[in-house]
């Protein structure tokens, strides 16, 4: 039995994956930003849980101080965690600039999972896993946009840059922890899966949510992922595959990581 954190577990493929994992009897920490949606998710997942415990953890991931507080609280848990699934993500935003002065896509899709990963990594066991939700949409990262110094002109560009950025740091940290663990992988769960994000952002019904939920479940728990440190699984192809070439460029990944560390130091201090 594993203890598993899923961020963005109040809707979409994160909630559906939580149901699959709960049915296996694992312990779950479900993260959400809305108290009402989180309570509902915990109740509904608890109802189908096997022997495992289900608890909630609240934080708006567009606010880095809240991300840090949540990550610190989770790192301090006596029960510990084995697996972290960085699933929460955002595509469309009417007001894209956060109170920290960042584009909300970079804040939620890139910086928050990085901060959660950094704070929880030392607490995870060697055979633990960190699964980072990427996307087929990946575009070269403008470091000034990531740092909030310039705005990104449209939702898709911001989203695609934020998703390449998470794929880049995921690959770099995954390779760095290949021998020591935990395993770090990134994952395109499949394109245009019919969640709130896709229905509202792209105006299409999209495909079955189980496509994304099943691959999240497998990436967290299946032995087939056990040797995949630093790799990128592309569920559109149904296999591991190359991400955008920038994700495999150690120099560019290092620049992205240094830019992220600088933003975190500026916003959080220290
Ligand atoms: N659907 C697809 O076709 C597709 C394709 C490629 C990648 N992905 C990725 O898969 C992941 C899940 O997406 P989805 O399609 O399931 O979308 P979704 O249905 O919109 O779910 C997104 C989840 O993230 C949470 N979230 C968003 N902004 C947040 C914030 N500021 N703080 C805390 N939580 C926040 C949402 O909370 P609320 O419930 O409060 O809104 C929700 O739980 C994302 O990383 C997405 O980029 C999806």
């Amino acid at each position: 039995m594993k203890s598993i954190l899923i961020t963005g577990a109040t809707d979409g493929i994160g909630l559906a994956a939580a149901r699959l994992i709960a049915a296996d009897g694992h312990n779950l920490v479900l993260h959400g930003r809305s108290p009402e949606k989180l309570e509902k998710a915990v109740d509904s997942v608890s109802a189908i849980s096997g022997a495992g415990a289900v608890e909630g953890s609240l934080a708006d991931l567009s606010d880095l101080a809240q991300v840090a507080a949540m990550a610190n609280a989770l790192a301090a848990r006596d029960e510990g965690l084995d697996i972290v699934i960085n699933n929460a993500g955002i595509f469309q935003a009417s007001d894209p600039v956060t109170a920290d002065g960042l584009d909300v896509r970079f804040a939620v899709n890139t910086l928050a999972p990085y901060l959660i990963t950094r704070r929880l990594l030392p607490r995870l066991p060697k055979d633990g896993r960190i699964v980072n939700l990427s996307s087929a949409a990946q575009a070269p990262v403008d470091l000034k946009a990531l740092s909030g110094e310039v705005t990104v002109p449209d939702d898709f560009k911001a989203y695609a840059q934020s998703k390449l950025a998470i794929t880049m740091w995921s690959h770099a940290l995954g390779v760095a922890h290949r021998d020591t663990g935990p395993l770090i992988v990134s994952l395109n769960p499949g394109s245009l899966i019919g969640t709130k994000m896709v229905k509202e952002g792209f105006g299409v019904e999209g495909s079955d949510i189980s496509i994304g939920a099943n691959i999240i479940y497998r990436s967290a728990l299946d032995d087939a992922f056990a040797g995949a440190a630093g790799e990128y699984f592309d569920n559109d192809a149904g296999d591991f595959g190359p991400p955008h070439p920038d994700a495999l460029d150690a120099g560019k990944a290092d620049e992205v990581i240094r830019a992220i560390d600088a933003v975190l130091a500026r916003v959080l201090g220290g």
Side-chain angles (χ1 to χ4, degrees):
M1 184 191 286
K2 303 284 187 192
S3 289
I4 303 173
L5 166 70
I6 308 181
T7 69
T10 48
D11 216 321
I13 61 177
L15 177 57
R19 293 200 167 105
L20 292 178
I21 291 169
D24 264 4
H26 298 287
N27 297 321
L28 275 163
V29 179
L30 306 182
H31 154 267
R33 62 175 158 176
S34 144
E36 296 77 25
K37 282 185 85 167
L38 184 58
E39 193 183 339
K40 221 170 129 193
V42 169
D43 286 350
S44 75
V45 173
S46 298
I48 53 162
S49 175
V54 182
E55 45 182 293
S57 184
L58 194 67
D60 182 340
L61 300 190
S62 69
D63 177 346
L64 290 174
Q66 290 192 38
V67 182
M70 180 179 81
N72 289 346
L74 291 170
R77 285 172 95 235
D78 289 339
E79 301 87 345
L81 286 166
D82 300 294
I83 297 168
V84 172
I85 302 171
N86 282 310
N87 164 77
I90 186 154
F91 172 74
Q92 209 174 30
S94 49
D95 178 9
V97 182
T98 72
D100 295 327
L102 301 167
D103 183 285
V104 70
R105 275 63 55 121
F106 279 116
V108 174
N109 303 350
T110 309
L111 289 133
Y114 177 86
L115 183 53
I116 291 167
T117 295
R118 282 290 193 199
R119 301 259 164 122
L120 293 180
L121 243 176
R123 307 277 300 151
L124 296 190
K126 184 173 166 44
D127 67 349
R129 289 190 191 180
I130 298 175
V131 176
N132 293 319
L133 270 286
S134 177
S135 168
Q138 297 175 23
V141 180
D142 177 344
L143 295 177
K144 287 191 170 169
L146 182 150
S147 306
E149 290 165 48
V150 297
T151 51
V152 192
D154 69 66
D155 291 328
F156 190 81
K157 286 193 172 114
Y159 179 78
Q161 289 191 34
S162 74
K163 288 298 184 181
L164 178 53
I166 189 173
T167 312
M168 292 170 85
W169 69 249
S170 191
H171 176 72
L173 292 193
V175 169
H177 289 82
R178 184 175 278 150
D179 297 330
T180 57
L183 178 89
I184 303 173
V185 290
S186 62
L187 170 69
N188 163 29
S191 295
L192 297 179
I193 297 168
T195 60
K196 162 168 69 69
M197 178 187 286
V198 161
K199 287 180 177 158
E200 290 174 2
F202 294 87
V204 297
E205 271 307 296
S207 57
D208 198 303
I209 285 183
S210 67
I211 294 168
N214 286 335
I215 195 61
I216 289 178
Y217 174 92
R218 284 184 52 211
S219 62
L221 291 160
D222 199 316
D223 285 346
F225 278 74
E231 291 195 39
Y232 168 72
F233 190 91
D234 178 5
N235 205 30
D236 289 330
D239 206 349
F240 294 98
H244 187 287
D246 283 6
L248 306 176
D249 183 320
K252 286 184 179 169
D254 192 48
E255 282 177 5
V256 162
I257 288 171
R258 277 193 277 120
I260 293 173
D261 285 334
V263 173
L264 294 178
R266 186 183 78 218
V267 174
L268 300 173

